[in-house]
Amino acid sequence: MRLLAITVLSGCCCALSAQASINLVVNGSFELGDYNNTDADPRPNYMIVSTGMTNITGWSVVGDKGVHWQLLPPGTTTDGIYAVDLIGENPPGLFPTLSQSIPTVPGLTYELSFDAFAGDLPNVAHVSIGTLVNQHFTGGWPGTLEPASFDRLTYIFVATGPVSTLEFQVLDSDGYGPVIDNVSIVLVPTPASPALVALGLGIGMRRRRGLAEN
């Protein structure tokens, strides 16, 4: 039984470690979807994705200005050839929100990371998920077109439900950004949970009690 307890604990820990390496965000680098740039914007590498459009696989957009799904030259973004400018058409208007629902376990800790362009035209947005609420960040438009101009931003949050909604929302923009890419959410590895420890101790105590009675 003691061997069984160790095996159970070891298996659960291995499962958590495996989950920690899995990106829970679908299409975090915006490489998947239907890029059919037929909007009014004449530029072939900027597609406006507006409210209700599902062109970017896994992501939803709300706001009358939409977002710009960017098709950029190889070596421009941090992962692949696509990125998202969180502001589509120029203000004024309802600033857009880019969101995705993520399956999570309430009470567990996760790490959110994404790349934000740190150019000469800083604009303000915030990101929210779980206990991370309205976290401000700045970014611009990738005028220099090189991955080195992106900053990797990382935040820790605790899930408050079985589904956590990741939201990026523009707060102030001159029409250029922030631009984001390479979004990921992973489970933060933690020591064996109290429930697992209690399970192991309980099995061990029952085993010792059985030996004593014999």
Side-chain angles (χ1 to χ4, degrees):
M1 292 295 289
R2 185 174 300 173
L3 178 59
L4 174 61
I6 294 173
T7 302
V8 169
L9 289 172
S10 176
C12 291
C13 291
C14 289
L16 289 175
S17 297
Q19 292 178 22
S21 63
I22 298 174
N23 183 6
L24 301 178
V25 178
V26 174
N27 194 25
S29 294
F30 311 110
E31 299 299 301
L32 305 176
D34 181 17
Y35 188 87
N36 55 17
N37 193 2
T38 58
D39 55 46
D41 192 322
R43 295 172 294 181
N45 58 327
Y46 290 83
M47 176 185 175
I48 295 178
V49 181
S50 303
T51 298
M53 295 176 63
T54 58
N55 294 67
I56 308 176
T57 299
W59 296 92
S60 300
V61 179
V62 175
D64 59 359
K65 296 304 177 182
V67 300
H68 265 140
W69 191 13
Q70 300 179 327
L71 171 59
L72 301 171
T76 297
T77 63
T78 57
D79 189 5
I81 57 175
Y82 291 90
V84 166
D85 181 340
L86 291 174
I87 187 72
E89 299 178 271
N90 291 339
L94 178 63
F95 283 132
T97 297
L98 180 71
S99 66
Q100 182 174 145
S101 295
I102 309 293
T104 53
V105 178
L108 292 190
T109 302
Y110 296 82
E111 179 184 277
L112 163 68
S113 299
F114 60 92
D115 299 326
F117 185 80
D120 296 328
L121 299 171
N123 296 296
V124 181
H126 68 214
V127 60
S128 298
I129 184 170
T131 56
L132 181 72
V133 180
N134 297 341
Q135 173 64 53
H136 284 52
F137 69 94
T138 59
W141 170 71
T144 56
L145 300 178
E146 58 182 24
S149 296
F150 284 81
D151 287 334
R152 188 69 174 167
L153 305 180
T154 299
Y155 306 101
I156 299 296
F157 71 92
V158 175
T160 56
V163 176
S164 299
T165 301
L166 172 63
E167 292 186 338
F168 294 94
Q169 184 176 33
V170 175
L171 300 178
D172 182 29
S173 175
D174 56 8
Y176 296 100
V179 173
I180 62 171
D181 193 21
N182 196 16
V183 185
S184 72
I185 291 176
V186 296
L187 179 66
V188 175
T190 57
S193 69
L196 291 178
V197 173
L199 173 63
L201 290 176
I203 293 175
M205 290 177 65
R206 286 196 297 273
R207 173 61 175 168
R208 287 194 297 272
R209 186 179 300 116
L211 291 174
E213 291 173 353
N214 290 335

